[in-house]
Amino acid sequence: MPIIELRDVSKLYGFGDATTVALDEVNLSIEEGEFIAVMGPSGSGKSTLMNIIGLLDRPTHGNYLLNGRSVDRLRPRRRAKARRDTIGFVFQSFNLLPRLTVLENVALPLAYKGVSLNKRLKMAERILERVGMQEREYYYPKQLSSGQTQSAAIARALVNNPKIIIADEPTGNLDSAASRLVMELFAEIHRTGTTVLLVTHNPELTRYATRVVYMHDGDIISDEHTDLGEVAKTARKVMYTIPTTSEEDDLAGVSALMHAVPGPREHARPKTKKHKKSSRKNSHARAKKRVKV
Ligand SMILES: Nc1ncnc2c1ncn2[C@@H]1O[C@H](COP(=O)(O)OP(=O)(O)OP(=O)(O)O)[C@@H](O)[C@H]1O
Ligand SMILES: [Mg+2]
């Protein structure tokens, strides 16, 4: 049974003419223990996908099964509980609280669970040791290097012992040495059986992944299983060949909108979606052609 299953999941922002299709009927099935790298150009829907999988956001359409159970209709409290119990987040901007020490930051998620203070600090200590940060327990975030800050944020994500770690560009603000340190931590987390979802713009980091999903315009356009230690072939190729929507596409789309005489069905649909779909088809076809080479 997949730990994560998305069925025809769409996410639309805005209304009418201003509708943006951030995700366009995405299907994705993830087994426990996979390490998935999610790639794609800016605006292709990577963070939207992560936020939906991480229960930070809801799809506009479609179904999401987490651990085989539908989470579409969960009430806010149960959603928050499912999120707390199952998912750990790591973001590009670290998001540590500046007035708390590293130890207090890492222990914080346990407070929401009602764990006693003593126990919280003990658990946080253990996790900080695991990420090699035991000597920085009493530092404040501003006293840490960016690599150490991200290690502390990873410790915080791990403290609830989540089955899934979602990391949205966790190395985006790190130099290459710090990125390596952080990626080794993810590799170690993965070795213990945790499912890891990593958004990255760096094809090199697909070496750590067992599968690489490539997004474009709200769609998954490539999904490749890879061997640990190797850079995914398609990830490297598509990375440098897919153009974002070209000016030509945009002009063709605008011109099509201006000339189209909408039929009765088309009135019901947001125009931008139609425009976006048609321009996506063009670039999609181009992308496919190039990936095949
Ligand atoms: N809260 C929002 N309101 C309106 N539009 C949004 C919102 N969040 C995202 N979008 C739009 O949805 C699309 C997908 O955005 P998303 O942030 O998922 O892209 P991304 O692949 O993570 O990009 P990046 O690599 O820049 O982080 C974009 O067109 C974006 O402008
Ligand atoms: Mg993003």
Side-chain angles (χ1 to χ4, degrees):
M1 182 186 71
I3 186 166
I4 291 163
E5 192 169 5
L6 302 180
R7 296 183 185 155
D8 294 329
V9 163
S10 295
K11 179 74 185 179
L12 277 62
Y13 289 109
F15 301 95
D17 284 0
T19 305
T20 300
V21 186
L23 291 179
D24 194 0
E25 296 175 1
V26 167
N27 287 287
L28 181 65
S29 182
I30 299 174
E31 297 295 330
E32 191 159 7
E34 288 195 272
F35 188 137
I36 309 219
V38 181
M39 302 190 73
S42 187
S44 57
K46 304 178 298 295
S47 296
T48 306
L49 182 70
M50 294 304 111
N51 292 345
I52 285 175
I53 291 177
L55 300 176
L56 290 174
D57 206 348
R58 286 171 189 272
T60 315
H61 304 292
N63 303 108
Y64 175 16
L65 285 90
L66 178 63
N67 271 324
R69 289 175 55 196
S70 169
V71 287
D72 299 325
R73 286 177 214 282
L74 285 187
R75 288 168 184 277
R77 234 176 218 231
R78 301 201 61 183
R79 252 177 110 71
K81 185 175 182 324
R83 183 167 60 231
R84 215 168 43 224
D85 293 345
T86 323
I87 295 155
F89 292 96
V90 180
F91 300 99
Q92 180 173 359
S93 51
F94 319 128
N95 296 356
L96 295 179
L97 299 180
R99 284 168 193 271
L100 299 186
T101 63
V102 165
L103 188 65
E104 289 164 342
N105 262 291
V106 173
L108 192 61
L110 297 168
Y112 299 111
K113 265 185 147 177
V115 181
S116 74
L117 180 63
N118 253 345
K119 201 167 172 206
R120 286 205 300 266
L121 296 179
K122 279 225 169 73
M123 289 168 79
E125 255 171 21
R126 221 175 306 138
I127 298 288
L128 279 165
E129 207 175 304
R130 186 171 159 201
V131 303
M133 286 284 292
Q134 63 274 36
E135 272 149 37
R136 300 280 187 278
E137 279 176 19
Y138 296 105
Y139 282 51
Y140 287 88
K142 66 167 187 264
Q143 299 173 305
L144 302 176
S145 72
S146 49
Q148 289 165 345
T149 312
Q150 194 58 299
S151 298
I154 292 172
R156 184 189 49 188
L158 289 175
V159 80
N160 271 332
N161 199 21
K163 277 172 167 265
I164 303 165
I165 288 278
I166 295 179
D168 196 344
E169 297 191 50
T171 61
N173 283 334
L174 305 181
D175 61 29
S176 59
S179 294
R180 202 184 151 78
L181 175 97
V182 159
M183 289 310 299
E184 290 300 330
L185 283 179
F186 285 121
E188 200 268 325
I189 294 163
H190 175 231
R191 277 195 291 275
T192 63
T194 309
T195 308
V196 180
L197 279 90
L198 166 89
V199 175
T200 182
H201 284 285
N202 185 351
E204 284 294 321
L205 301 190
T206 60
R207 286 183 199 281
Y208 293 89
T210 56
R211 182 173 168 193
V212 179
V213 163
Y214 196 93
M215 299 192 69
H216 192 241
D217 264 2
D219 234 349
I220 292 177
I221 59 162
S222 138
D223 185 348
E224 180 193 357
H225 287 269
T226 59
D227 290 329
L228 277 177
E230 283 181 14
V231 175
K233 284 192 197 77
T234 43
R236 198 185 273 279
K237 235 179 229 172
V238 264
M239 184 78 186
Y240 298 110
T241 51
I242 285 190
T244 48
T245 318
S246 70
E247 200 181 343
E248 200 185 308
D249 280 343
D250 284 344
L251 291 174
V254 170
S255 144
L257 274 178
M258 287 172 74
H259 293 111
V261 183
R265 273 193 70 220
E266 280 162 332
H267 276 300
R269 284 197 234 143
K271 281 178 183 172
T272 322
K273 174 162 176 152
K274 195 167 158 36
H275 160 206
K276 194 165 171 148
K277 271 216 158 195
S278 65
S279 80
R280 176 171 63 81
K281 281 232 167 77
N282 293 339
S283 42
H284 196 152
R286 266 204 316 272
K288 273 198 173 150
K289 224 189 289 167
R290 287 179 184 166
V291 176
K292 261 192 196 153
V293 207

